[in-house]
Amino acid sequence: GDSVTQMEGPVTLSEEAFLTINCTYTATGYPSLFWYVQYPGEGLQLLLKATKADDKGSNKGFEATYRKETTSFHLEKGSVQVSDSAVYFCALPRSGGSYIPTFGRGTSLIVHP
Amino acid sequence: GAGVSQSPRYKVAKRGQDVALRCDPISGHVSLFWYQQALGQGPEFLTYFQNEAQLDKSGLPSDRFFAERPEGSVSTLKIQRTQQEDSAVYLCASSLGTNRNTEAFFGQGTRLTVV
């Protein structure tokens, strides 16, 4: 079935470091791809999305490019802040008509001052 | 408020007890999803409603789990005869509809601990 695979965490960085969190997907067709973020004590919220191949989603300094040839949607940020510490989830809608959001296991990011 | 609201935020249940978890979605959202999130894992799909119709319940782990959304708005997830393996965070999400671009809006979840 349709699924996403994320790199395991935690990812631990110093403030202003470059961030990459890897995500690859397996899907029928070409689904939209999403990154959600979960800050401590809060629910998941959409960070960014891309709806077709070569699209780049961006928000709050984060970017991810939909790469059909490598079935990837890696999340990047050029300079992380302590406030970016959270758990990041890659997601896609299940095929077959229901489009139920399907999530990866999440990658925890810890940013130190 | 304008977001998805879940209650209670925390629930401690004795093994064998029945529990009911409530989700109040964003007004006007047609679709409603329940997920189970174990510690350190991503949300795992439980069930999906479109208005009052339960269109997919393939993720419910056993017949002890039951969900309803009788008037197409508030939903309740009920777990009968709770077991320790039911301990998890239960997340509710809603969306305007379902298509390939749909964004899901999540509540803060209910943390269930079965002792």
Side-chain angles (χ1 to χ4, degrees):
Chain A
D2 298 350
S3 64
V4 291
T5 302
Q6 289 182 239
M7 62 186 286
E8 283 201 32
V11 173
T12 305
L13 296 172
S14 297
E15 210 165 20
E16 300 183 2
F18 184 86
L19 168 71
T20 301
I21 299 178
N22 290 341
C23 171
T24 57
Y25 67 90
T26 302
T28 305
Y30 303 105
S32 295
L33 299 172
F34 301 78
W35 278 101
Y36 283 78
V37 59
Q38 187 174 31
Y39 297 104
E42 299 185 15
L44 279 76
Q45 57 187 271
L46 180 68
L47 178 61
L48 55 83
K49 69 179 181 184
T51 59
K52 62 183 187 297
D54 299 325
D55 260 7
K56 179 185 286 187
S58 61
N59 186 24
K60 299 182 180 180
F62 290 88
E63 294 182 338
T65 301
Y66 189 158
R67 301 284 188 202
K68 184 175 66 173
E69 59 278 6
T70 55
T71 62
S72 65
F73 193 54
H74 304 323
L75 183 68
E76 297 181 336
K77 187 174 185 182
S79 175
V80 293
Q81 305 300 313
V82 172
S83 57
D84 294 327
S85 298
V87 182
Y88 293 82
F89 295 91
C90 189
L92 54 67
R94 185 190 298 180
S95 61
S98 65
Y99 301 109
I100 294 168
T102 302
F103 294 86
R105 62 179 296 156
T107 303
S108 175
L109 170 65
I110 301 168
V111 181
H112 294 294
Chain B
V4 177
S5 177
Q6 292 188 247
S7 61
R9 287 291 313 279
Y10 304 93
K11 176 70 179 176
V12 178
K14 291 185 178 179
R15 194 161 56 119
Q17 187 178 354
D18 297 350
V19 298
L21 312 180
R22 176 189 169 102
C23 173
D24 204 335
I26 294 172
S27 177
H29 277 196
V30 168
S31 300
L32 186 145
F33 311 89
W34 282 100
Y35 292 85
Q36 181 188 61
Q37 186 178 23
L39 191 64
Q41 301 295 316
E44 292 289 337
F45 169 73
L46 294 176
T47 187
Y48 156 56
F49 290 85
Q50 187 173 72
N51 295 307
E52 69 278 5
Q54 189 174 22
L55 298 187
D56 191 327
K57 54 181 181 179
S58 61
L60 296 177
S62 77
D63 58 8
R64 296 186 295 103
F65 286 71
F66 171 77
E68 60 183 5
R69 193 186 185 198
E71 297 178 0
S73 56
V74 171
S75 177
T76 304
L77 176 67
K78 297 179 180 178
I79 309 173
Q80 297 177 323
R81 304 181 304 281
T82 51
Q83 303 295 313
Q84 283 196 315
E85 62 263 28
D86 300 335
S87 295
V89 176
Y90 290 85
L91 299 173
C92 176
S94 69
S95 65
L96 279 170
T98 47
N99 60 57
R100 61 189 300 277
N101 300 325
T102 299
E103 172 186 357
F105 293 82
F106 281 82
Q108 290 181 289
T110 295
R111 181 177 297 279
L112 172 66
T113 304
V114 181
V115 297

